[in-house]
Amino acid sequence: MALSDPMPSQVCPSAHSLWRVPELVAEVMDHLSQRDLSVCARVSKGVSHYALGSLYKTGVSIQHVLNILAPVHLVSSPAPNVKYKEMNFLRSPGSNDWDNFYQYARRVRSLSCIDLDASDQLFLDISSVLPAGTLLFPHLRSLEWKINSPRLRAHVDFFMGDALSDVAISGPLDFLSTTLGLLSQRSPAIRRLSLHVSALEDSPTPAAVMQDIMTSIKAFKGLEHLQMSPQLAPAAAVPFLSRLPRLTTLYLRPFQLTTAFLFGDTFRYTVPRLKALDSDFQCLKDLICEVGLLLAGVSPSLSALSLQKLHVAINPTNTEADLAQLGCLLRDNCKTLTYIMIIFDTPTLLPAESSPITRSVLKLFLGIRLLRHLNIDDVRPARLSCAELEELAPMCRKLTFLGLCARSRWNGASPESLLSLGSLITLAENCHSLLSLGLALDITTPVPDLPPNPPVFRRLQILYMDYSTKIEDPAAVAVYLSRLLPPDARLEPPPSRFTSAHIRAVEAANIKGWKDVSHFLDAMKPLRNIVALHLKSQSPQIT
């Protein structure tokens, strides 16, 4: 189809040529706002074709697109004593409505069905105009289905087709099992799949339901990304999942562990021991899971030779031996691992001496040859002295990110073993590649003296300092940091993992001190820039 020039008398020759290259027009449309695309859709037939394609590629809701088929409105539920309203057509659509609707429906690539309250009559009306053998959205690639209404779950098959490649479904166990069976038959090309149980249950998943779910999942031969609620993936499921030939990302948690959001004990589940099965993950690169899934059967549970990124949720009651076992497992089995984040669930203010994070445990993790990012997030400070950190610092040379209990809390006086500001000197001497650093430091003691020519962090961009840390002398702390940090490095607080009014009040009292430190550092930036240039001229070989 030839494109019509939008305003041929007002465009330069190069712009005139652009409108004759369909690929360029389509590329331009992908960078425009929704409002601009709506304007472009009215310019000419050729431009409209590509503008509508971009408009209906992402962010389309089912409520919006059905309104094109026939006007929709909300009506009160016919059930007595029920106050919710459901969506219905204001009039029944006809064949002419379908012809107009299909011009848009065939452009829809991504569809969101969230909290939809629609009547059964609405889907009956759709069926009455849907030609036999025609899909409602023939080119739909991405579907998000999170609907609480039991009567609407039966209509999910309206949106299934062989073009689907990305599906996120939330619902009860029986619905997930049935829907997965349908998907495996009608949408076998799925590459990304997210499954979430809408109502958490204390009882384990029945074996028959688990078998049906795993059988359906195995049918997706091209599956690359899988995210599941933890009760859907006990240790017994690992051998099934490990045989997916193209699986690169496996999330067995319902959330990204890098957030500060906390879940309760309802996510705990019993992990049976794995049998000695061949459960190698051939392509797995990214894994999020509970630590119990890894510790249940060391070698069989994680023979993931291609694993690069690992997020592990751990319980505060896990011991030093548990972390040491995990460290050995990763060091010996995961030769390509570059990123580790360990987060302690349901943080509690336990005594600092109960922390499982010790010199020997850290030595195991730092022994992972390709590791570049290590973040252990606990509210207890690590059981690590300044002398022990000095011993480990040479092993941290390869790291670009190091976080050790940066959000720690303690009651009363600071533990004697807590790292001090002097620990930064040790890391500055050894860790020339560090871009981000977060440590639990005691800054209530007097600021130590610096040597005449202290080492400087060469590349550090962010120093995470917790607002729970009280500062006695902000000016002295700022002067100390200014001699260790690059001019452009900034202080940044990690998000709090507590929401109690008492802790917020304590943090509020410390925020002013940290803001004063930041202000002092900003005021000293011109001088720090001069010093940095002088050091660079003295050491041109430093990169």
Side-chain angles (χ1 to χ4, degrees), residues 279-329:
S279 57
D280 291 348
F281 287 90
Q282 298 298 324
C283 303
L284 189 65
K285 295 180 180 179
D286 192 352
L287 174 63
I288 292 182
C289 67
E290 301 270 2
V291 71
L293 195 66
L294 303 180
L295 301 183
V298 181
S299 178
S301 61
L302 193 67
S303 297
L305 301 181
S306 61
L307 190 66
Q308 298 175 5
K309 191 172 183 179
L310 176 67
H311 295 68
V312 179
I314 191 170
N315 194 292
T317 59
N318 283 106
T319 64
E320 179 183 354
D322 293 332
L323 270 184
Q325 184 182 2
L326 177 61
C328 290
L329 167 67

Side-chain angles (χ1 to χ4, degrees), residues 63 123 348 456:
Q63 292 91 329
F123 286 97
T348 54
V456 178

Side-chain angles (χ1 to χ4, degrees), residues 11-224:
V11 296
C12 64
S14 58
H16 183 85
S17 301
L18 181 145
W19 295 104
R20 296 187 178 278
V21 183
E23 294 80 3
L24 288 179
V25 177
E27 179 68 23
V28 169
M29 295 302 159
D30 283 342
H31 296 281
L32 298 182
S33 67
Q34 296 282 330
R35 181 176 181 179
D36 291 337
L37 286 171
S38 298
V39 174
C40 288
R42 300 178 178 90
V43 170
S44 69
K45 185 176 181 181
V47 176
S48 176
H49 172 76
Y50 293 98
L52 289 174
S54 293
L55 270 173
Y56 285 88
K57 185 179 293 185
T58 59
V60 181
S61 69
I62 184 65
Q63 292 91 329
H64 164 76
V65 74
L66 286 184
N67 199 46
I68 300 174
L69 180 58
V72 297
H73 68 145
L74 295 176
V75 296
S76 299
S77 170
N81 301 323
V82 177
K83 295 183 179 180
Y84 74 85
K85 293 185 177 181
E86 56 187 21
M87 189 173 71
N88 205 349
F89 287 124
L90 194 59
R91 59 171 177 79
S92 296
S95 58
N96 291 334
D97 295 313
W98 170 259
D99 292 338
N100 176 63
F101 169 77
Y102 196 67
Q103 298 301 313
Y104 298 90
R106 64 185 178 86
R107 303 176 189 275
V108 175
R109 299 294 187 271
S110 175
L111 191 64
S112 175
C113 302
I114 300 177
D115 297 331
L116 173 66
D117 281 326
S119 67
D120 289 323
Q121 183 61 44
L122 180 139
F123 286 97
L124 289 174
D125 289 340
I126 293 174
S127 300
S128 67
V129 295
L130 182 66
T134 303
L135 296 174
L136 187 60
F137 301 103
H139 303 298
L140 187 64
R141 297 174 185 171
S142 176
L143 173 64
E144 185 179 16
W145 183 274
K146 296 180 180 179
I147 294 178
N148 296 321
S149 173
R151 70 183 187 283
L152 294 185
R153 294 181 188 133
H155 302 299
V156 67
D157 61 328
F158 268 89
F159 308 97
M160 296 181 185
D162 54 12
L164 267 182
S165 62
D166 186 346
V167 177
I169 306 175
S170 176
L173 284 173
D174 56 347
F175 169 71
L176 292 178
S177 177
T178 302
T179 303
L180 277 177
L182 288 172
L183 278 172
S184 64
Q185 298 171 22
R186 299 180 57 178
S187 306
I190 288 178
R191 294 171 52 244
R192 298 175 60 87
L193 180 63
S194 298
L195 305 173
H196 301 290
V197 181
S198 57
L200 298 178
E201 302 173 4
D202 294 331
S203 58
T205 304
V209 175
M210 177 61 66
Q211 179 71 28
D212 290 341
I213 290 175
M214 291 303 152
T215 300
S216 298
I217 289 177
K218 285 173 62 179
F220 302 117
K221 301 299 183 184
L223 192 64
E224 298 175 4

